[in-house]
Amino acid sequence: MAKQPQPISPLKNFFAGGFGGVCLVFVGHPLDTIKVRLQTQPKPQPGQAPLYSGTFDCFRKTLVGEGVRGLYRGMAAPIIGVTPMYAVCFFGFGLGKRLQQRKPDDVLTYPQLFAAGMLSGVFTTVIMAPGERIKCLLQIQAATGETKYSGSLDCAKQLYREAGIRGVYKGTVLTLMRDVPASGMYFMTYEWLKNSLTPEGKSVSDLSVPRILFAGGLAGIFNWVVAIPPDVLKSRFQTAPGGKYPNGFRDVLRELIREEGVTSLYKGFTAVMIRAFPANAACFLGFEVAMKFLNWIAPGV
């Protein structure tokens, strides 16, 4: 395994991670909207066709009915959250690596990198959970034809007014169940691919743009293979009326399997996979480019 870089400074991590997150949201949000609408569409009545027959049908109907803006519905919440979230995410990964190093030059094994990635998932949930709740509610309201929230801030205010902070953070446990193992897979895969793609005698910091894009995109694929089932449960739970699932994700899981079978846990799979590669490729490329720029203008910080 190639020698790993040392954890970066929190300040550089904040800006580089935030820029990478903005790149991810801008590239990936349209298909995230499609994913949520597919995951939360109501079960059709007997003899009736579903609201959306699949990923491309949902994309077409959204584009025709709402225009390009419809594909970016609810983007304000994740955009506002991505800078601190990805700063915390990449910092959490660096901290997880440092905690497992006995000496600063220790090279970690892949299971240790997985554990470090899981720590980043714990850190980001505090920011991710309310943003996901608001995003999902805004994404589905246009599809139902009911306009309850005028925007992200109005949605947050109404949720807080109705149920306090618990209403805003509804779905936090499911967000943890999704992000902790998925983040471990995400970072471990990226580090493994970077090391595998680094030519003999070269540093991972010198990887070409196509190789960074490939490593980041494939890391996103592996991340979502792990994350889709809890993500489906989270989307259903976060957008359900209050009191519908008193026992939390267990009730959601039982209902989904009883009514739609185990395959329902992979609803939105096509949209997720189409989105995962370009969005995460953009994220890691944005992060790496921002880090090189920050190291150039402030090498000692």
Side-chain angles (χ1 to χ4, degrees):
M1 184 188 297
K3 185 177 179 179
Q4 299 175 67
Q6 295 301 306
I8 58 177
S9 73
L11 184 62
K12 290 179 181 177
N13 202 25
F14 179 86
F15 288 107
F19 183 70
V22 170
C23 293
L24 180 145
V25 173
F26 186 77
V27 172
H29 192 80
L31 279 161
D32 187 72
T33 298
I34 302 303
K35 177 205 72 174
V36 170
R37 290 186 177 185
L38 287 171
Q39 289 175 345
T40 59
Q41 67 174 320
K43 185 181 179 182
Q45 296 297 319
Q48 291 185 347
L51 182 61
Y52 308 114
S53 61
T55 299
F56 298 104
D57 181 56
C58 183
F59 181 86
R60 181 183 60 81
K61 288 179 177 176
T62 301
L63 197 59
V64 170
E66 304 167 53
V68 174
R69 290 183 63 183
L71 295 171
Y72 283 92
R73 191 82 60 182
M75 193 175 72
I79 281 288
I80 292 169
V82 289
T83 298
M85 185 187 73
Y86 274 83
V88 169
C89 179
F90 280 91
F91 175 75
F93 179 57
L95 178 62
K97 290 192 291 183
R98 176 175 287 176
L99 289 173
Q100 297 180 88
Q101 289 179 318
R102 295 182 179 180
K103 296 180 295 183
D105 58 347
D106 281 350
V107 177
L108 300 182
T109 64
Y110 290 119
Q112 287 176 312
L113 291 171
F114 186 87
M118 288 198 298
L119 182 63
S120 78
V122 175
F123 279 25
T124 57
T125 296
V126 175
I127 302 169
M128 178 71 87
E132 287 277 298
R133 168 96 154 118
I134 293 166
K135 172 181 70 70
C136 288
L137 288 171
L138 290 174
Q139 284 173 330
I140 68 164
Q141 79 165 2
T144 62
E146 177 186 339
T147 306
K148 182 178 180 181
Y149 311 110
S150 61
S152 299
L153 186 58
D154 180 57
C155 182
K157 286 179 179 178
Q158 289 196 45
L159 290 174
Y160 185 79
R161 189 162 54 242
E162 291 168 4
I165 196 67
R166 292 184 63 182
V168 178
Y169 274 88
K170 181 179 179 180
T172 297
V173 172
L174 280 163
T175 305
L176 274 170
M177 289 173 61
R178 181 193 69 177
D179 288 351
V180 169
S183 294
M185 181 64 73
Y186 187 54
F187 282 106
M188 183 189 72
T189 303
Y190 182 64
E191 293 289 326
W192 167 62
L193 286 168
K194 281 206 305 180
N195 288 319
S196 300
L197 293 170
T198 300
E200 191 71 29
K202 297 285 186 178
S203 169
V204 291
S205 62
D206 297 326
L207 275 182
S208 65
V209 168
R211 292 186 180 194
I212 292 172
L213 288 171
F214 178 76
L218 208 56
I221 294 287
F222 277 83
N223 170 82
W224 278 104
V225 166
V226 174
I228 287 178
D231 186 64
V232 172
L233 299 177
K234 179 196 70 64
S235 295
R236 282 291 183 104
F237 184 68
Q238 287 186 318
T239 57
K244 182 176 181 181
Y245 301 115
N247 296 311
F249 74 91
R250 289 172 295 178
D251 286 348
V252 187
L253 180 61
R254 278 194 291 263
E255 180 186 84
L256 274 173
I257 293 178
R258 183 178 66 248
E259 296 185 358
E260 303 177 47
V262 176
T263 56
S264 63
L265 292 173
Y266 283 88
K267 274 191 171 185
F269 180 85
T270 303
V272 168
M273 289 303 154
I274 292 173
R275 168 186 179 269
F277 192 95
N280 289 283
C283 175
F284 277 109
L285 179 62
F287 176 80
E288 299 286 359
V289 169
M291 280 303 303
K292 285 186 177 181
F293 177 73
L294 291 171
N295 287 331
W296 176 65
I297 62 171
V301 176

mmCIF file of all heavy atoms in Angstrom, residues 222-257:
data_model
loop_
_atom_site.group_PDB
_atom_site.id
_atom_site.type_symbol
_atom_site.label_atom_id
_atom_site.label_comp_id
_atom_site.label_asym_id
_atom_site.label_seq_id
_atom_site.Cartn_x
_atom_site.Cartn_y
_atom_site.Cartn_z
ATOM 1 N N PHE A 222 -19.955 2.209 -4.560
ATOM 2 C CA PHE A 222 -19.855 1.283 -3.421
ATOM 3 C C PHE A 222 -20.585 1.840 -2.195
ATOM 4 O O PHE A 222 -21.203 1.088 -1.430
ATOM 5 C CB PHE A 222 -18.390 1.007 -3.090
ATOM 6 C CG PHE A 222 -17.770 -0.063 -3.938
ATOM 7 C CD1 PHE A 222 -17.263 0.227 -5.198
ATOM 8 C CD2 PHE A 222 -17.705 -1.368 -3.492
ATOM 9 C CE1 PHE A 222 -16.699 -0.756 -5.991
ATOM 10 C CE2 PHE A 222 -17.133 -2.366 -4.271
ATOM 11 C CZ PHE A 222 -16.628 -2.065 -5.529
ATOM 12 N N ASN A 223 -20.500 3.136 -1.995
ATOM 13 C CA ASN A 223 -21.201 3.789 -0.891
ATOM 14 C C ASN A 223 -22.695 3.513 -0.962
ATOM 15 O O ASN A 223 -23.335 3.119 0.024
ATOM 16 C CB ASN A 223 -20.923 5.290 -0.954
ATOM 17 C CG ASN A 223 -21.784 6.097 0.007
ATOM 18 O OD1 ASN A 223 -21.480 6.211 1.177
ATOM 19 N ND2 ASN A 223 -22.871 6.663 -0.499
ATOM 20 N N TRP A 224 -23.279 3.688 -2.147
ATOM 21 C CA TRP A 224 -24.738 3.564 -2.270
ATOM 22 C C TRP A 224 -25.214 2.126 -2.322
ATOM 23 O O TRP A 224 -26.369 1.835 -1.985
ATOM 24 C CB TRP A 224 -25.230 4.360 -3.466
ATOM 25 C CG TRP A 224 -25.379 5.802 -3.114
ATOM 26 C CD1 TRP A 224 -24.558 6.838 -3.451
ATOM 27 C CD2 TRP A 224 -26.398 6.370 -2.284
ATOM 28 N NE1 TRP A 224 -25.000 8.005 -2.893
ATOM 29 C CE2 TRP A 224 -26.125 7.748 -2.171
ATOM 30 C CE3 TRP A 224 -27.504 5.845 -1.624
ATOM 31 C CZ2 TRP A 224 -26.933 8.608 -1.428
ATOM 32 C CZ3 TRP A 224 -28.310 6.693 -0.887
ATOM 33 C CH2 TRP A 224 -28.023 8.056 -0.791
ATOM 34 N N VAL A 225 -24.368 1.201 -2.714
ATOM 35 C CA VAL A 225 -24.739 -0.211 -2.629
ATOM 36 C C VAL A 225 -25.067 -0.567 -1.177
ATOM 37 O O VAL A 225 -26.016 -1.291 -0.885
ATOM 38 C CB VAL A 225 -23.613 -1.112 -3.175
ATOM 39 C CG1 VAL A 225 -23.839 -2.566 -2.781
ATOM 40 C CG2 VAL A 225 -23.540 -0.994 -4.698
ATOM 41 N N VAL A 226 -24.286 -0.010 -0.261
ATOM 42 C CA VAL A 226 -24.507 -0.232 1.169
ATOM 43 C C VAL A 226 -25.673 0.609 1.688
ATOM 44 O O VAL A 226 -26.457 0.168 2.532
ATOM 45 C CB VAL A 226 -23.226 0.096 1.969
ATOM 46 C CG1 VAL A 226 -23.474 0.013 3.477
ATOM 47 C CG2 VAL A 226 -22.097 -0.833 1.563
ATOM 48 N N ALA A 227 -25.823 1.832 1.157
ATOM 49 C CA ALA A 227 -26.727 2.816 1.756
ATOM 50 C C ALA A 227 -28.181 2.750 1.287
ATOM 51 O O ALA A 227 -29.067 3.266 1.976
ATOM 52 C CB ALA A 227 -26.187 4.228 1.484
ATOM 53 N N ILE A 228 -28.464 2.134 0.134
ATOM 54 C CA ILE A 228 -29.818 2.238 -0.431
ATOM 55 C C ILE A 228 -30.917 1.701 0.496
ATOM 56 O O ILE A 228 -31.921 2.391 0.718
ATOM 57 C CB ILE A 228 -29.895 1.572 -1.818
ATOM 58 C CG1 ILE A 228 -29.187 2.440 -2.856
ATOM 59 C CG2 ILE A 228 -31.348 1.392 -2.259
ATOM 60 C CD1 ILE A 228 -29.171 1.837 -4.243
ATOM 61 N N PRO A 229 -30.831 0.475 1.042
ATOM 62 C CA PRO A 229 -31.938 0.005 1.887
ATOM 63 C C PRO A 229 -32.283 0.933 3.059
ATOM 64 O O PRO A 229 -33.448 1.313 3.216
ATOM 65 C CB PRO A 229 -31.464 -1.378 2.355
ATOM 66 C CG PRO A 229 -30.553 -1.826 1.260
ATOM 67 C CD PRO A 229 -29.826 -0.583 0.821
ATOM 68 N N PRO A 230 -31.305 1.347 3.895
ATOM 69 C CA PRO A 230 -31.675 2.287 4.960
ATOM 70 C C PRO A 230 -32.111 3.648 4.418
ATOM 71 O O PRO A 230 -32.893 4.345 5.061
ATOM 72 C CB PRO A 230 -30.410 2.408 5.810
ATOM 73 C CG PRO A 230 -29.298 1.923 4.948
ATOM 74 C CD PRO A 230 -29.893 0.917 4.036
ATOM 75 N N ASP A 231 -31.650 4.027 3.230
ATOM 76 C CA ASP A 231 -32.069 5.294 2.639
ATOM 77 C C ASP A 231 -33.539 5.254 2.245
ATOM 78 O O ASP A 231 -34.261 6.236 2.415
ATOM 79 C CB ASP A 231 -31.202 5.609 1.415
ATOM 80 C CG ASP A 231 -31.503 6.986 0.834
ATOM 81 O OD1 ASP A 231 -31.271 7.984 1.543
ATOM 82 O OD2 ASP A 231 -31.984 7.063 -0.311
ATOM 83 N N VAL A 232 -33.997 4.121 1.709
ATOM 84 C CA VAL A 232 -35.413 3.962 1.378
ATOM 85 C C VAL A 232 -36.261 4.085 2.646
ATOM 86 O O VAL A 232 -37.278 4.798 2.676
ATOM 87 C CB VAL A 232 -35.678 2.605 0.699
ATOM 88 C CG1 VAL A 232 -37.179 2.361 0.529
ATOM 89 C CG2 VAL A 232 -34.987 2.551 -0.659
ATOM 90 N N LEU A 233 -35.846 3.406 3.704
ATOM 91 C CA LEU A 233 -36.570 3.475 4.973
ATOM 92 C C LEU A 233 -36.577 4.900 5.518
ATOM 93 O O LEU A 233 -37.607 5.387 6.013
ATOM 94 C CB LEU A 233 -35.946 2.529 5.997
ATOM 95 C CG LEU A 233 -35.937 1.036 5.655
ATOM 96 C CD1 LEU A 233 -35.220 0.252 6.747
ATOM 97 C CD2 LEU A 233 -37.354 0.505 5.458
ATOM 98 N N LYS A 234 -35.440 5.580 5.416
ATOM 99 C CA LYS A 234 -35.329 6.951 5.907
ATOM 100 C C LYS A 234 -36.266 7.890 5.146
ATOM 101 O O LYS A 234 -36.977 8.701 5.753
ATOM 102 C CB LYS A 234 -33.881 7.437 5.782
ATOM 103 C CG LYS A 234 -33.649 8.861 6.251
ATOM 104 C CD LYS A 234 -32.332 9.410 5.763
ATOM 105 C CE LYS A 234 -32.341 9.658 4.277
ATOM 106 N NZ LYS A 234 -33.312 10.711 3.856
ATOM 107 N N SER A 235 -36.273 7.787 3.822
ATOM 108 C CA SER A 235 -37.124 8.667 3.018
ATOM 109 C C SER A 235 -38.591 8.457 3.355
ATOM 110 O O SER A 235 -39.362 9.421 3.488
ATOM 111 C CB SER A 235 -36.880 8.415 1.523
ATOM 112 O OG SER A 235 -35.573 8.779 1.146
ATOM 113 N N ARG A 236 -39.007 7.198 3.494
ATOM 114 C CA ARG A 236 -40.398 6.894 3.850
ATOM 115 C C ARG A 236 -40.748 7.447 5.227
ATOM 116 O O ARG A 236 -41.802 8.046 5.427
ATOM 117 C CB ARG A 236 -40.614 5.380 3.842
ATOM 118 C CG ARG A 236 -40.777 4.758 2.467
ATOM 119 C CD ARG A 236 -42.091 5.187 1.822
ATOM 120 N NE ARG A 236 -42.292 4.554 0.539
ATOM 121 C CZ ARG A 236 -43.127 3.537 0.325
ATOM 122 N NH1 ARG A 236 -43.832 3.036 1.328
ATOM 123 N NH2 ARG A 236 -43.265 3.033 -0.876
ATOM 124 N N PHE A 237 -39.849 7.234 6.183
ATOM 125 C CA PHE A 237 -40.109 7.652 7.557
ATOM 126 C C PHE A 237 -40.138 9.168 7.682
ATOM 127 O O PHE A 237 -41.003 9.740 8.351
ATOM 128 C CB PHE A 237 -39.040 7.059 8.476
ATOM 129 C CG PHE A 237 -39.255 7.353 9.933
ATOM 130 C CD1 PHE A 237 -40.319 6.798 10.620
ATOM 131 C CD2 PHE A 237 -38.381 8.190 10.620
ATOM 132 C CE1 PHE A 237 -40.521 7.071 11.968
ATOM 133 C CE2 PHE A 237 -38.573 8.465 11.969
ATOM 134 C CZ PHE A 237 -39.641 7.907 12.636
ATOM 135 N N GLN A 238 -39.192 9.852 7.018
ATOM 136 C CA GLN A 238 -39.095 11.305 7.145
ATOM 137 C C GLN A 238 -40.243 12.043 6.466
ATOM 138 O O GLN A 238 -40.544 13.181 6.828
ATOM 139 C CB GLN A 238 -37.756 11.794 6.587
ATOM 140 C CG GLN A 238 -36.565 11.463 7.468
ATOM 141 C CD GLN A 238 -35.282 12.077 6.957
ATOM 142 O OE1 GLN A 238 -35.007 12.081 5.760
ATOM 143 N NE2 GLN A 238 -34.472 12.597 7.857
ATOM 144 N N THR A 239 -40.869 11.432 5.483
ATOM 145 C CA THR A 239 -41.950 12.103 4.763
ATOM 146 C C THR A 239 -43.337 11.625 5.192
ATOM 147 O O THR A 239 -44.347 12.106 4.673
ATOM 148 C CB THR A 239 -41.805 11.890 3.241
ATOM 149 O OG1 THR A 239 -41.792 10.483 2.952
ATOM 150 C CG2 THR A 239 -40.515 12.519 2.728
ATOM 151 N N ALA A 240 -43.384 10.690 6.143
ATOM 152 C CA ALA A 240 -44.673 10.170 6.605
ATOM 153 C C ALA A 240 -45.332 11.146 7.571
ATOM 154 O O ALA A 240 -44.661 11.890 8.280
ATOM 155 C CB ALA A 240 -44.475 8.820 7.296
ATOM 156 N N PRO A 241 -46.674 11.157 7.603
ATOM 157 C CA PRO A 241 -47.377 12.002 8.587
ATOM 158 C C PRO A 241 -46.995 11.602 10.011
ATOM 159 O O PRO A 241 -46.658 10.442 10.272
ATOM 160 C CB PRO A 241 -48.856 11.703 8.308
ATOM 161 C CG PRO A 241 -48.894 11.133 6.929
ATOM 162 C CD PRO A 241 -47.594 10.408 6.741
ATOM 163 N N GLY A 242 -47.054 12.556 10.920
ATOM 164 C CA GLY A 242 -46.716 12.290 12.309
ATOM 165 C C GLY A 242 -47.556 11.180 12.905
ATOM 166 O O GLY A 242 -48.778 11.141 12.731
ATOM 167 N N GLY A 243 -46.923 10.232 13.599
ATOM 168 C CA GLY A 243 -47.629 9.145 14.257
ATOM 169 C C GLY A 243 -47.887 7.934 13.387
ATOM 170 O O GLY A 243 -48.415 6.928 13.884
ATOM 171 N N LYS A 244 -47.540 7.987 12.099
ATOM 172 C CA LYS A 244 -47.830 6.846 11.229
ATOM 173 C C LYS A 244 -46.985 5.632 11.581
ATOM 174 O O LYS A 244 -47.447 4.495 11.482
ATOM 175 C CB LYS A 244 -47.595 7.224 9.762
ATOM 176 C CG LYS A 244 -47.922 6.090 8.803
ATOM 177 C CD LYS A 244 -47.783 6.482 7.342
ATOM 178 C CE LYS A 244 -48.146 5.319 6.428
ATOM 179 N NZ LYS A 244 -48.004 5.659 4.997
ATOM 180 N N TYR A 245 -45.744 5.869 11.974
ATOM 181 C CA TYR A 245 -44.846 4.764 12.310
ATOM 182 C C TYR A 245 -44.369 4.925 13.752
ATOM 183 O O TYR A 245 -43.270 5.418 14.007
ATOM 184 C CB TYR A 245 -43.649 4.742 11.368
ATOM 185 C CG TYR A 245 -44.001 4.586 9.901
ATOM 186 C CD1 TYR A 245 -43.729 5.605 8.980
ATOM 187 C CD2 TYR A 245 -44.594 3.417 9.433
ATOM 188 C CE1 TYR A 245 -44.044 5.453 7.634
ATOM 189 C CE2 TYR A 245 -44.920 3.262 8.090
ATOM 190 C CZ TYR A 245 -44.642 4.283 7.199
ATOM 191 O OH TYR A 245 -44.958 4.133 5.868
ATOM 192 N N PRO A 246 -45.188 4.523 14.730
ATOM 193 C CA PRO A 246 -44.832 4.746 16.145
ATOM 194 C C PRO A 246 -43.578 4.011 16.589
ATOM 195 O O PRO A 246 -42.904 4.435 17.516
ATOM 196 C CB PRO A 246 -46.064 4.238 16.906
ATOM 197 C CG PRO A 246 -46.749 3.303 15.953
ATOM 198 C CD PRO A 246 -46.491 3.856 14.590
ATOM 199 N N ASN A 247 -43.253 2.885 15.943
ATOM 200 C CA ASN A 247 -42.062 2.117 16.311
ATOM 201 C C ASN A 247 -40.878 2.394 15.400
ATOM 202 O O ASN A 247 -39.926 1.619 15.346
ATOM 203 C CB ASN A 247 -42.379 0.617 16.306
ATOM 204 C CG ASN A 247 -43.408 0.248 17.353
ATOM 205 O OD1 ASN A 247 -43.288 0.637 18.514
ATOM 206 N ND2 ASN A 247 -44.439 -0.478 16.945
ATOM 207 N N GLY A 248 -40.957 3.510 14.670
ATOM 208 C CA GLY A 248 -39.831 3.927 13.849
ATOM 209 C C GLY A 248 -39.602 3.049 12.630
ATOM 210 O O GLY A 248 -40.547 2.565 11.999
ATOM 211 N N PHE A 249 -38.311 2.817 12.342
ATOM 212 C CA PHE A 249 -37.958 2.132 11.098
ATOM 213 C C PHE A 249 -38.472 0.702 11.044
ATOM 214 O O PHE A 249 -38.685 0.142 9.964
ATOM 215 C CB PHE A 249 -36.434 2.151 10.893
ATOM 216 C CG PHE A 249 -35.666 1.222 11.792
ATOM 217 C CD1 PHE A 249 -35.382 -0.074 11.391
ATOM 218 C CD2 PHE A 249 -35.208 1.651 13.026
ATOM 219 C CE1 PHE A 249 -34.664 -0.933 12.207
ATOM 220 C CE2 PHE A 249 -34.485 0.808 13.841
ATOM 221 C CZ PHE A 249 -34.213 -0.493 13.436
ATOM 222 N N ARG A 250 -38.713 0.079 12.210
ATOM 223 C CA ARG A 250 -39.228 -1.290 12.197
ATOM 224 C C ARG A 250 -40.609 -1.353 11.557
ATOM 225 O O ARG A 250 -40.918 -2.284 10.808
ATOM 226 C CB ARG A 250 -39.277 -1.841 13.626
ATOM 227 C CG ARG A 250 -37.902 -2.141 14.217
ATOM 228 C CD ARG A 250 -37.990 -2.502 15.681
ATOM 229 N NE ARG A 250 -38.475 -1.370 16.475
ATOM 230 C CZ ARG A 250 -38.698 -1.413 17.788
ATOM 231 N NH1 ARG A 250 -38.492 -2.546 18.449
ATOM 232 N NH2 ARG A 250 -39.104 -0.351 18.438
ATOM 233 N N ASP A 251 -41.441 -0.347 11.855
ATOM 234 C CA ASP A 251 -42.771 -0.295 11.236
ATOM 235 C C ASP A 251 -42.671 -0.042 9.736
ATOM 236 O O ASP A 251 -43.414 -0.621 8.937
ATOM 237 C CB ASP A 251 -43.610 0.814 11.879
ATOM 238 C CG ASP A 251 -44.099 0.451 13.269
ATOM 239 O OD1 ASP A 251 -43.975 -0.733 13.641
ATOM 240 O OD2 ASP A 251 -44.596 1.346 13.986
ATOM 241 N N VAL A 252 -41.749 0.839 9.351
ATOM 242 C CA VAL A 252 -41.558 1.119 7.920
ATOM 243 C C VAL A 252 -41.100 -0.139 7.207
ATOM 244 O O VAL A 252 -41.609 -0.488 6.127
ATOM 245 C CB VAL A 252 -40.520 2.240 7.705
ATOM 246 C CG1 VAL A 252 -40.456 2.626 6.229
ATOM 247 C CG2 VAL A 252 -40.840 3.465 8.550
ATOM 248 N N LEU A 253 -40.152 -0.844 7.785
ATOM 249 C CA LEU A 253 -39.615 -2.064 7.178
ATOM 250 C C LEU A 253 -40.704 -3.124 7.036
ATOM 251 O O LEU A 253 -40.845 -3.740 5.967
ATOM 252 C CB LEU A 253 -38.463 -2.598 8.031
ATOM 253 C CG LEU A 253 -37.773 -3.866 7.540
ATOM 254 C CD1 LEU A 253 -37.147 -3.643 6.168
ATOM 255 C CD2 LEU A 253 -36.713 -4.322 8.537
ATOM 256 N N ARG A 254 -41.485 -3.325 8.093
ATOM 257 C CA ARG A 254 -42.552 -4.329 8.037
ATOM 258 C C ARG A 254 -43.578 -3.985 6.962
ATOM 259 O O ARG A 254 -44.016 -4.852 6.210
ATOM 260 C CB ARG A 254 -43.235 -4.449 9.405
ATOM 261 C CG ARG A 254 -42.487 -5.340 10.394
ATOM 262 C CD ARG A 254 -43.354 -5.686 11.577
ATOM 263 N NE ARG A 254 -43.597 -4.517 12.418
ATOM 264 C CZ ARG A 254 -42.895 -4.236 13.516
ATOM 265 N NH1 ARG A 254 -41.905 -5.036 13.892
ATOM 266 N NH2 ARG A 254 -43.167 -3.173 14.242
ATOM 267 N N GLU A 255 -43.968 -2.707 6.901
ATOM 268 C CA GLU A 255 -44.965 -2.287 5.916
ATOM 269 C C GLU A 255 -44.459 -2.478 4.489
ATOM 270 O O GLU A 255 -45.179 -2.991 3.617
ATOM 271 C CB GLU A 255 -45.337 -0.823 6.136
ATOM 272 C CG GLU A 255 -46.383 -0.299 5.153
ATOM 273 C CD GLU A 255 -46.614 1.189 5.308
ATOM 274 O OE1 GLU A 255 -45.844 1.982 4.723
ATOM 275 O OE2 GLU A 255 -47.564 1.552 6.009
ATOM 276 N N LEU A 256 -43.222 -2.063 4.239
ATOM 277 C CA LEU A 256 -42.657 -2.178 2.898
ATOM 278 C C LEU A 256 -42.572 -3.633 2.443
ATOM 279 O O LEU A 256 -42.982 -3.975 1.328
ATOM 280 C CB LEU A 256 -41.262 -1.549 2.850
ATOM 281 C CG LEU A 256 -41.190 -0.048 2.577
ATOM 282 C CD1 LEU A 256 -39.753 0.427 2.732
ATOM 283 C CD2 LEU A 256 -41.703 0.286 1.197
ATOM 284 N N ILE A 257 -42.051 -4.509 3.303
ATOM 285 C CA ILE A 257 -41.892 -5.915 2.925
ATOM 286 C C ILE A 257 -43.250 -6.585 2.770
ATOM 287 O O ILE A 257 -43.463 -7.383 1.843
ATOM 288 C CB ILE A 257 -41.021 -6.648 3.960
ATOM 289 C CG1 ILE A 257 -39.585 -6.110 3.895
ATOM 290 C CG2 ILE A 257 -41.034 -8.151 3.715
ATOM 291 C CD1 ILE A 257 -38.643 -6.713 4.888
#
